[in-house]
Amino acid sequence: MKKIALLGATGYIGRSLLREFFDEKDKSQLFLFSRTKSKVHTIVKKYPKDINFQICEIGEFNKYNYDVIINCTGIKSLNSLKQNPSEVFSATEEVDSMVIRYLLKNPKALYINMSSGAVYGDNFHKSISSKTKSVLDINNIDVSESYAIAKLNSEAKHRSLSNLNIVDLRVFAFFSRFYDVSPNFMISEIVDCLKSKKVFKTDDNNIVRDYITPKDLLSLIKKVMKKGKINDFFDVYSKAPISKLTLLSFLEKKYGLKYVINKIPKPITGVSKNVYYSKNKKAGTIGYVPEYSSLKGIESEISKIDNMSK
């Protein structure tokens, strides 16, 4: 029986993965970590009780032994990052260093860290490939880049510890039924408008995203767990990305989404993440084959949200 520590069990990705573990009736022993135990209790009380799990505070991490450590901790929101950009460095480093100290004492353990496509900086004129280099303007670093730099720093440290089992999974876009309502995340705002019967307002910039959903993310995690000794990174991808306008059209037909598109002048300068996904399929070398496209994954997760009928 695998002993798995899930750090950040109450966060967006953490609680989404937790639900997948429960739904699959995984035979592992789960250690669910959060800074507040009561939040984990609130989440798991709705789940079946035939899963072997233990709820822990992050300060209890060194009390137990693990085969696998999955780090889903992160910033609370983009707004909190803007208000206190230095927090992303301290929070990332605190948890990461704690896990690495554990690995140094237990070198057979596997550390799976949720990284981000943000490590590529502002290099999103086109989709990412295995040849793409990270682009950061080091002479004009904006506070918005703090998250990208923190993730890049972690990955650099992990590759330097080549004798340890550490894998960084670069998530570009993620969606599950446990979405957080936030105007900073397009898909969350869209689904909130759909659920509350509000009109979604957007511009005519037809951005492209690749949404991974919990089932495929857990599938990739399990492929990493089967690999044995490994120190590497993998860009996370679905069967196919989706453009904003294609998604809006689908949700209009399927669920009756109302939306308005306002034309905007094309920017003369500046870079935005218009095309934010990766064509680097290196994860396929360890057997990962996504089940869902972005569209099918979103459709599957939306169907599990209460009161989403047309």
Side-chain angles (χ1 to χ4, degrees), residues 13 52 56 82 113 120 226 261 292:
I13 292 181
N52 186 355
C56 316
K82 291 176 182 178
N113 178 58
Y120 289 101
K226 289 181 180 179
I261 297 174
Y292 294 98

Side-chain angles (χ1 to χ4, degrees), residues 149-208:
I149 295 170
K151 292 296 186 182
L152 187 58
N153 285 348
S154 289
E155 287 203 26
K157 180 170 62 174
H158 296 165
R159 299 294 81 76
S160 73
L161 296 165
S162 58
N163 59 315
L164 299 178
N165 297 309
I166 307 176
V167 173
D168 292 291
L169 299 183
R170 296 172 182 165
V171 178
F172 286 76
F174 181 83
F175 179 71
S176 85
R177 75 196 85 168
F178 304 109
Y179 72 100
D180 290 317
V181 178
S182 171
N184 299 113
F185 293 104
M186 181 188 73
I187 184 63
S188 296
E189 189 177 359
I190 289 172
V191 176
D192 185 53
C193 286
L194 183 59
K195 189 173 183 179
S196 60
K197 310 300 183 185
K198 294 186 295 186
V199 176
F200 175 68
K201 298 177 182 179
T202 187
D203 56 50
D204 61 351
N205 186 15
N206 194 22
I207 63 175
V208 181

Side-chain angles (χ1 to χ4, degrees), residues 161-294:
L161 296 165
S162 58
N163 59 315
L164 299 178
N165 297 309
I166 307 176
V167 173
D168 292 291
L169 299 183
R170 296 172 182 165
V171 178
F172 286 76
F174 181 83
F175 179 71
S176 85
R177 75 196 85 168
F178 304 109
Y179 72 100
D180 290 317
V181 178
S182 171
N184 299 113
F185 293 104
M186 181 188 73
I187 184 63
S188 296
E189 189 177 359
I190 289 172
V191 176
D192 185 53
C193 286
L194 183 59
K195 189 173 183 179
S196 60
K197 310 300 183 185
K198 294 186 295 186
V199 176
F200 175 68
K201 298 177 182 179
T202 187
D203 56 50
D204 61 351
N205 186 15
N206 194 22
I207 63 175
V208 181
R209 295 290 184 266
D210 193 11
Y211 289 98
I212 188 79
T213 43
K215 190 170 184 178
D216 276 339
L217 183 56
L218 183 58
S219 172
L220 177 53
I221 287 171
K222 290 190 172 183
K223 294 298 182 184
V224 172
M225 288 167 58
K226 289 181 180 179
K227 184 63 180 174
K229 189 166 181 59
I230 185 172
N231 185 297
D232 211 339
F233 68 88
F234 298 101
D235 289 357
V236 184
Y237 52 89
S238 72
K239 272 189 173 181
I242 190 169
S243 70
K244 177 175 69 177
L245 296 184
T246 299
L247 177 60
L248 292 177
S249 178
F250 169 80
L251 293 177
E252 179 185 37
K253 293 174 183 177
K254 178 81 176 182
Y255 294 104
L257 174 70
K258 293 180 173 56
Y259 62 93
V260 173
I261 297 174
N262 298 309
K263 290 189 177 296
I264 58 170
K266 299 298 181 185
I268 299 174
T269 60
V271 179
S272 62
K273 293 178 179 177
N274 292 331
V275 182
Y276 188 54
Y277 69 96
S278 178
K279 289 184 177 179
N280 185 351
K281 310 297 185 184
K282 188 171 75 168
T285 63
I286 61 170
Y288 170 65
V289 179
E291 179 179 345
Y292 294 98
S293 65
S294 293

Side-chain angles (χ1 to χ4, degrees), residues 5 32 35-36 62 68 114 126 208 218-220 232 298:
L32 309 178
R35 297 191 182 278
T36 309
N62 290 312
V68 181
M114 293 299 137
K126 58 183 181 180
V208 181
L218 183 58
S219 172
L220 177 53
D232 211 339
I298 290 171

